[in-house]
Amino acid sequence: MTETRSAATGADVERVAFVTGGSKGIGAATCIALAAGGHRVGVGYVTDDVGAAATVAAIIDAGGRAHAIRCDIADTDSVDAAFTALTDALGPVTVLVNNGGITVDGLVMRMKDDAWDSVLRTNLTGAFHTIRRATPAMMKARFGRIVNVSSSSGQTGMPGQANYAAAKAGLVGLTRSVARELASRGITANVVAPGPIETAMTADLADDWKARAAAQVPLGRFGTPAEVAAVIAFLCSESAAYVTGAIVPVDGGLAMGH
């Protein structure tokens, strides 16, 4: 995909960010928010060429700089190739947002091994793959921001999503271990845990289901991708230098107390 560039403004230091799952929803909103803060942004995606192109176009139209990068985070060769391509296009990655993920829902007693393995490999092991690949450049720069996008279900559990909830809970242990390992190099690692968010996926759900789901949220509504992206962008900023190993819920109070 052709990259167009212009001067980014508004950041303390212009850095290169890589956002997996950046073609739509929370990921696309995060790409746009990071670009608005002055970052050069790699828009990671697997198959959604149209969505990735739209995210890149939105950033360019706003005066930023972005590049679409195809990356299957479950595959180490794909991750390595994506980081190499992004470094060549924009520079070394020092801001990483692991937002990419999949769902293969089903009750535990009927869940096939493939459903368990594929969700864990993408949603948890995929984050390990990208963090491992990003760490050398961050250590060299003595600066890094890692944000892993979990879910309120990682703290509360969710019927029919044992694989998904387990992977999202596992991100907490991964993140806090990384936070402790890399803190001396000026690298932070944090978790953002969204609750129910208005996305293309939830838009297709029945109105009565959405009403019941919203009623469980103390604030009484679904969140928006932009609301999640704003928190992620803060954790990626210079201002968040003293925040690491944290779980930041963006869930309208749904999982408070967990």
Side-chain angles (χ1 to χ4, degrees):
M1 179 173 293
T2 302
E3 173 208 352
T4 303
R5 56 188 295 178
S6 64
T9 59
D12 298 318
V13 179
E14 186 183 59
R15 302 192 187 278
V16 177
F18 183 37
V19 180
T20 67
S23 65
K24 56 191 171 186
I26 292 170
T30 298
C31 290
I32 292 167
L34 289 173
H39 294 80
R40 291 165 278 171
V41 180
V43 180
Y45 73 104
V46 181
T47 59
D48 187 7
D49 298 271
V50 173
T55 303
V56 170
I59 290 169
I60 292 168
D61 289 346
R65 185 174 173 185
H67 196 84
I69 299 289
R70 189 185 298 274
C71 180
D72 177 2
I73 58 176
D75 181 79
T76 54
D77 290 338
S78 180
V79 169
D80 185 61
F83 272 82
T84 299
L86 184 54
T87 299
D88 290 344
L90 298 179
V93 174
T94 54
V95 175
L96 173 65
V97 179
N98 280 307
N99 172 72
I102 63 171
T103 58
V104 185
D105 295 347
L107 296 175
V108 126
M109 64 180 180
R110 297 174 183 166
M111 186 173 288
K112 303 297 185 183
D113 287 352
D114 286 348
W116 176 270
D117 292 341
S118 63
V119 170
L120 268 290
R121 182 161 182 82
T122 298
N123 296 10
L124 179 56
T125 307
F128 161 70
H129 289 159
T130 59
I131 291 168
R132 181 177 61 183
R133 183 59 174 79
T135 296
M138 293 182 180
M139 292 180 69
K140 183 177 181 179
R142 299 193 70 83
F143 173 93
R145 297 287 185 267
I146 299 166
V147 178
N148 294 320
V149 180
S150 180
S151 168
S152 58
S153 66
Q155 283 75 58
T156 65
M158 184 64 66
Q161 290 193 320
N163 49 3
Y164 182 80
K168 293 301 188 180
L171 284 175
V172 175
L174 171 63
T175 302
R176 286 180 164 165
S177 297
V178 168
R180 291 185 183 277
E181 285 187 23
L182 302 180
S184 65
R185 300 301 185 99
I187 300 167
T188 66
N190 293 288
V191 171
V192 168
I197 304 298
E198 294 174 355
T199 63
M201 182 174 66
T202 60
D204 293 334
L205 297 173
D207 289 341
D208 60 341
W209 186 94
K210 288 190 287 186
R212 289 195 301 272
Q216 297 178 37
V217 179
L219 287 180
R221 64 174 178 86
F222 282 24
T224 68
E227 289 173 320
V228 182
V231 175
I232 295 171
F234 167 71
L235 292 172
C236 292
S237 72
E238 303 284 338
S239 298
Y242 203 56
V243 182
T244 197
I247 304 174
V248 184
V250 189
D251 63 3
L254 179 63
M256 69 171 75
H258 293 275

